[in-house]
Amino acid sequence: MNTYKCCFSFMLVVQILFCFQPKVSNGQEYKLVWEDNFDGTTLDSEKWNIEHKIGVWNTGANSEFQHYKRENVSVGDDGDGNSCLILTAKKENFNGYHFTSGKVTTKGKFAFKRGKLEASIKIPNLNKGLWPAFWTLGYTPVGWPDCGEIDVLEMGHAAAIKTGKVNSFVGAHLFWGPYPRDYGKEFVADQDLSTGFFKHTVIWDEKNISVFLNDAASPYFTMGITGSDTEEFRNFQHYVILNLAVGGSVPGIYNYNEITANFPASMYVDWVKLYQLAEDFSSDELPLYGSFGVFQDEAPVDMWMDLGFDLFEQNKNLKSTLGVTPKAGSNLLSYSISGNDEFVVKLSGTLNRNLSNYSKGSIQFNLKTNIKSNLQIGFADAQNNEAFVSLADYPDLDIPRDGEWHSLYIPINELKDRVDISTLKSMLIVKGEGAAGKNIAIDEVFYSETAPVGGLFGIYTNNTTITEKFAINNVSGHLYNWENTVAFNALIPAYEGEEVLSFRSTGGAGWWGFGLFSSNPLNLNKFTDGYLNLMLRTNASQTFNISVEGANKTKATIEFKNNNDPYGFLRDGKWHRITVPVSDLLQQGLDLSACANVFTMNGSTIGDIAIDDVYFSETNGEIDNPSTCYPVSLSISPKNKTLGTNKEQQFSVSALNQFGNIADTQVAWSSSGGSINENGLFASDAEGVYTIWAHQNDLVDSTTITVKLKNQVLQTNKSRVEINYFSGEKRLVISQLDVNDKIVVCDFMGRKFIETTAKSERLIVELSNYPSSVYVVSILGKSGMLNRKIVRY
């Protein structure tokens, strides 16, 4: 449903389009393999998720206005006796938004690759500002657009609003990576689609994706997917999405006051069905990925469960209590202990969940209790096999029992051998021995593919002694260049390893920024008393910020301001070690339990700047880094130069490091004669061949320079020419010239002051208006050349 456009995509796609009449190959027939007819009064929690967040597409290109709510999704009568899924948009203020609406997905519960997907949909009157959609996204941790997107139905277009055909103007679209690339097509139906149910069909096979309205014999949209760049539609399963958006790029409305549609407005879905060939059918349970929320409000998650929908709470010997402040959001599980018997609280799902990707991860949640006795934390699979970690056996995992909120982390590796984590049923079980008058509360429960990190954790480093690192692989870890406001380059040599984040702002936007983002938020709580370490280098004068963003929308920022830089940083164009006590970040309210944007930089503008070797440490002090760059070769330029006396030659040197990349140099210069300064500037007033050396530690490179006294060479056939300088009058008198001889006067740096042609045998050159210097007079004619040095005092 994203409407980002790419200017060259149409030309690209034209090459792979052709007319397509859908057929079933090899005599096979499509079989119905999945459906939901939305019978009854409740949504099937084993098939669907209800979104209860702002839309992921509210920002950026789409600019939608709605906040999605559970309450806007229902199953019931459409008014004509049809039991339907009902997605209702309302004009109401909620959480900072002026509209709410409904959205459902099958993410993590159902996905498919190839087949015939159909839905029977009745739209509301869209005029103007409503944007219904039936679409799919690739089920993969790879982000958009590289996951692939198939828009089977989009309506509410700005062009249709202008022509008065908004309720009959339908569109289909495909998006794919990496730019993004896209191709779409619109179609005007001969009926108003708000008057009843219409069938929208996508047929996806190995060669094409085609979209039909009702039972048309031919599609109104077809795109071939055999090209080398369309692997998104060959490699990934896709999950189904239905939603009703308000405003944004498709309606072309970016001011919520311009929305004139009637509210409430409902989109009705009578049924959704998938047909597949036998060869395409798969019944495998979808493995979850990323951060998986069990009971959470604000912890950043990729997928989640909803209490009362697909998650149920059970307890034994506990009594629910009110008045406890949640760790985050507005919901929590809070209990008082009934007696001295064993108590249990269990969170279980309506269907089994495949957490095979989390074998090296952890269960993370917040716990608040004054129970002093041992607690056991665990989970159970579909066969009722249970596994627990006893906190008495793992004191480093335990928390203070002081009646305050604390984060608890249970490594799944300690549990996975006793249960089948590919069929988990009970996602969290907490049990212990109770005592009257004691309390326990649980909040923000989620699964992470990583366990809490400690000791040393690399954010952006090639240090081989740091074994746990954030990986920028465009799957679990990303480097996001915010709206392309940063130009990454190699203008500053790396401090260590083969890569460096060397960049400058691109201008235009008036700001710049980038972030290292973890799809699965990192738990960095073990660094509470530790340090954030990085190498930083610039001579730019502009202000910039370094930030770390944590759980529950917390953030800590370090401002670097010229002449008032923190932590001893100097803007001298050299690498400097910055060591930030994490306590300085915590004072700003940073919550390290779930860091998604683990390192960001931003500002208004910036010149050349670089960071490298970024890591967290539990203790202070530099660590060994075998990857620290050092030069292994030097190369002087220019080579074997020829120079005239009283002229200067600038030499420079470049170096390569052990990785074959440009290295920093701090060389000492020397020469066998003449003079050369610390910056490599050479001069000599005597003829000769001289050797120039550049030294850095044990490295050396050399070259030669030949100095010739060109300004004293007298051509015999010009020997009759007389050159007289009268210092008192500051004038030059040249006699015995040939007509048309060329006369040039330069200073000893080669800068030309006078250039003229002789009109007779005698020429007077005035030097009174020129500075005191050593001048070279050159005479060139058909009979030869003469050079003479003149000193003008």
Side-chain angles (χ1 to χ4, degrees):
M1 147 173 204
N2 195 287
T3 59
Y4 190 103
K5 300 297 181 186
C6 188
C7 62
F8 60 83
S9 61
F10 178 77
M11 295 181 63
L12 176 88
V13 178
V14 163
Q15 302 175 35
I16 54 177
L17 295 178
F18 57 91
C19 293
F20 171 66
Q21 180 69 28
K23 296 179 180 179
V24 180
S25 61
N26 301 322
Q28 291 182 291
E29 294 183 359
Y30 282 120
K31 301 288 187 182
L32 180 64
V33 298
W34 185 91
E35 68 177 324
D36 196 338
N37 292 297
F38 304 110
D39 295 325
T41 58
T42 58
L43 189 64
D44 190 340
S45 63
E46 295 190 10
K47 294 178 179 177
W48 299 96
N49 309 294
I50 300 175
E51 188 151 314
H52 50 276
K53 299 176 180 292
I54 63 170
V56 68
W57 306 111
N58 285 53
T59 57
N62 278 25
S63 302
E64 300 164 26
F65 293 141
Q66 77 286 338
H67 190 300
Y68 291 118
K69 287 177 62 179
R70 297 180 183 89
E71 294 81 358
N72 295 50
V73 177
S74 62
V75 172
D77 196 310
D78 69 341
D80 292 322
N82 301 301
S83 184
C84 301
L85 167 67
I86 307 171
L87 305 178
T88 301
K90 301 177 182 179
K91 188 174 183 178
E92 60 177 346
N93 293 323
F94 180 77
N95 200 21
Y97 284 78
H98 298 280
F99 299 90
T100 62
S101 193
K103 179 179 180 180
V104 297
T105 81
T106 65
K107 186 176 183 180
K109 295 179 177 178
F110 163 71
F112 69 102
K113 183 166 66 173
R114 295 188 294 271
K116 181 170 70 170
L117 178 68
E118 297 184 325
S120 177
I121 299 173
K122 178 182 178 181
I123 62 168
N125 182 358
L126 305 178
N127 197 26
K128 68 177 179 177
L130 294 177
W131 176 3
F134 168 39
W135 51 305
T136 75
L137 283 174
Y139 183 76
T140 169
V142 177
W144 188 91
D146 299 281
C147 61
E149 175 182 337
I150 304 172
D151 295 336
V152 187
L153 163 69
E154 280 191 306
M155 296 186 68
H157 297 77
I161 294 174
K162 292 180 180 179
T163 60
K165 298 181 179 180
V166 67
N167 290 336
S168 56
F169 190 92
V170 297
H173 222 112
L174 262 63
F175 291 90
W176 66 102
Y179 296 107
R181 303 180 182 187
D182 69 282
Y183 173 68
K185 191 173 182 181
E186 286 73 39
F187 167 73
V188 179
D190 56 6
Q191 290 179 274
D192 183 329
L193 273 61
S194 67
T195 59
F197 287 92
F198 292 81
K199 183 168 66 175
H200 303 271
T201 302
V202 58
I203 294 182
W204 172 11
D205 61 28
E206 293 181 347
K207 295 182 178 181
N208 301 280
I209 292 177
S210 302
V211 178
F212 302 77
L213 178 63
N214 284 340
D215 294 311
S218 59
Y220 72 86
F221 169 95
T222 297
M223 182 179 131
I225 57 171
T226 59
S228 60
D229 66 322
T230 53
E231 70 278 0
E232 293 88 339
F233 307 112
R234 298 191 300 274
N235 296 346
F236 302 144
Q237 292 184 308
H238 279 230
Y239 62 93
V240 181
I241 307 168
L242 291 156
N243 70 282
L244 179 58
V246 181
S249 56
V250 162
I253 300 175
Y254 301 97
N255 183 333
Y256 70 89
N257 290 313
E258 297 176 9
I259 303 293
T260 60
N262 293 322
F263 293 93
S266 294
M267 169 181 170
Y268 298 95
V269 184
D270 194 11
W271 48 260
V272 181
K273 299 179 181 181
L274 174 69
Y275 301 83
Q276 284 185 308
L277 304 178
E279 62 193 37
D280 296 328
F281 176 72
S282 173
S283 61
D284 295 338
E285 293 180 351
L286 293 176
L288 304 178
Y289 59 78
S291 225
F292 179 65
V294 176
F295 178 84
Q296 52 76 45
D297 280 324
E298 295 186 2
V301 295
D302 298 284
M303 289 172 271
W304 59 86
M305 304 174 77
D306 284 334
L307 188 65
F309 179 63
D310 57 355
L311 178 72
F312 295 92
E313 178 268 352
Q314 301 168 284
N315 72 76
K316 175 184 176 184
N317 294 327
L318 295 173
K319 181 180 179 181
S320 296
T321 57
L322 302 175
V324 179
T325 301
K327 172 63 177 177
S330 58
N331 300 304
L332 82 161
L333 302 172
S334 180
Y335 310 94
S336 60
I337 310 300
S338 302
N340 295 324
D341 295 329
E342 180 186 70
F343 69 85
V344 179
V345 59
K346 182 183 296 186
L347 297 175
S348 302
T350 58
L351 73 164
N352 306 332
R353 310 313 297 262
N354 183 348
L355 275 82
S356 55
N357 289 331
Y358 297 75
S359 61
K360 296 181 180 179
S362 58
I363 310 171
Q364 304 189 18
F365 62 101
N366 286 277
L367 189 64
K368 178 178 183 177
T369 187
N370 55 7
I371 299 172
K372 304 298 183 181
S373 60
N374 183 39
L375 294 176
Q376 296 187 69
I377 315 295
F379 48 44
D381 61 21
Q383 292 73 44
N384 294 318
N385 299 311
E386 295 183 340
F388 292 93
V389 166
S390 173
L391 297 186
D393 297 332
Y394 295 89
D396 59 321
L397 300 179
D398 208 348
I399 61 167
R401 313 294 182 85
D402 56 3
E404 300 296 331
W405 284 111
H406 297 280
S407 298
L408 194 60
Y409 316 94
I410 306 301
I412 294 175
N413 187 55
E414 300 293 334
L415 303 168
K416 65 181 179 63
D417 293 335
R418 288 171 276 167
V419 298
D420 180 3
I421 63 172
S422 68
T423 61
L424 276 193
K425 187 73 171 179
S426 294
M427 311 304 294
L428 177 69
I429 306 173
V430 180
K431 66 180 182 178
E433 293 293 330
K438 300 295 183 179
N439 302 283
I440 187 170
I442 298 169
D443 201 3
E444 296 296 285
V445 184
F446 65 94
Y447 277 69
S448 169
E449 287 186 64
T450 60
V453 295
L456 297 169
F457 184 75
I459 300 298
Y460 186 89
T461 180
N462 286 283
N463 190 339
T464 54
T465 65
I466 300 177
T467 56
E468 290 189 276
K469 298 178 182 179
F470 172 80
I472 302 175
N473 54 19
N474 293 323
V475 178
S476 60
H478 307 265
L479 170 59
Y480 286 129
N481 183 354
W482 300 337
E483 298 194 20
N484 293 316
T485 53
V486 170
F488 292 102
N489 52 50
L491 297 180
I492 298 179
Y495 169 77
E496 50 95 60
E498 297 187 57
E499 297 177 340
V500 61
L501 286 179
S502 169
F503 60 93
R504 58 167 43 209
S505 59
T506 58
W511 62 275
W512 63 272
F514 73 88
L516 299 176
F517 177 82
S518 178
S519 298
N520 184 27
L522 299 169
N523 171 11
L524 301 175
N525 259 340
K526 288 189 176 181
F527 299 107
T528 297
D529 298 318
Y531 300 86
L532 170 62
N533 309 269
L534 65 138
M535 297 301 295
L536 182 62
R537 173 174 174 170
T538 192
N539 55 16
S541 61
Q542 297 97 332
T543 298
F544 62 92
N545 302 304
I546 292 176
S547 302
V548 179
E549 297 183 16
N552 305 315
K553 301 179 182 178
T554 58
K555 180 178 180 180
T557 297
I558 308 164
E559 183 182 56
F560 288 79
K561 194 171 184 178
N562 197 20
N563 298 319
N564 192 27
D565 285 311
Y567 306 107
F569 178 60
L570 298 176
R571 299 181 183 236
D572 56 3
K574 298 179 182 179
W575 284 112
H576 293 281
R577 171 69 62 187
I578 306 298
T579 302
V580 181
V582 173
S583 58
D584 290 359
L585 307 178
L586 298 179
Q587 288 177 4
Q588 299 183 44
L590 179 65
D591 184 344
L592 293 171
S593 64
C595 296
N597 278 315
V598 294
F599 187 92
T600 70
M601 293 185 71
N602 75 290
S604 54
T605 60
I606 195 71
D608 291 323
I609 185 171
I611 60 164
D612 209 348
D613 197 26
V614 185
Y615 64 92
F616 282 90
S617 63
E618 288 194 59
T619 58
N620 196 8
E622 287 196 50
I623 61 174
D624 291 336
N625 189 345
S627 300
T628 301
C629 294
Y630 56 88
V632 296
S633 65
L634 301 177
S635 178
I636 295 176
S637 63
K639 294 287 188 183
N640 306 318
K641 183 71 175 176
T642 299
L643 184 70
T645 54
N646 298 314
K647 292 186 181 294
E648 293 180 323
Q649 176 62 51
Q650 179 67 60
F651 288 96
S652 61
V653 66
S654 60
L656 295 180
N657 63 26
Q658 71 269 37
F659 303 107
N661 297 321
I662 297 297
D664 279 322
T665 55
Q666 292 180 335
V667 300
W669 293 95
S670 62
S671 63
S672 61
S675 64
I676 189 166
N677 69 10
E678 62 183 7
N679 297 316
L681 185 64
F682 173 85
S684 174
D685 59 2
E687 256 188 320
V689 178
Y690 303 99
T691 302
I692 308 297
W693 292 280
H695 311 260
Q696 184 168 348
N697 299 326
D698 295 331
L699 301 177
V700 63
D701 189 37
S702 63
T703 187
T704 61
I705 184 166
T706 302
V707 179
K708 294 183 177 180
L709 303 180
K710 293 183 178 180
N711 59 336
Q712 295 180 3
V713 177
L714 182 63
Q715 303 294 336
T716 56
N717 54 3
K718 273 291 183 187
S719 59
R720 71 178 189 279
V721 175
E722 295 180 6
I723 301 176
N724 296 298
Y725 175 64
F726 298 92
S727 59
E729 300 174 0
K730 296 182 175 57
R731 63 174 181 157
L732 189 65
V733 179
I734 307 173
S735 304
Q736 305 296 322
L737 289 167
D738 291 326
V739 175
N740 293 326
D741 277 352
K742 183 177 181 180
I743 300 96
V744 178
V745 180
C746 300
D747 68 4
F748 77 100
M749 293 294 291
R751 291 175 294 193
K752 188 182 299 182
F753 283 82
I754 297 171
E755 183 176 357
T756 187
T757 302
K759 303 299 183 183
S760 64
E761 66 174 15
R762 190 169 185 267
L763 176 68
I764 298 175
V765 179
E766 295 289 342
L767 295 179
S768 58
N769 293 326
Y770 297 98
S772 299
S773 181
V774 176
Y775 291 92
V776 176
V777 181
S778 298
I779 302 170
L780 180 64
K782 61 183 180 180
S783 60
M785 181 177 70
L786 173 68
N787 291 314
R788 183 72 54 81
K789 181 170 68 174
I790 298 296
V791 179
R792 182 253 193 255
Y793 297 104

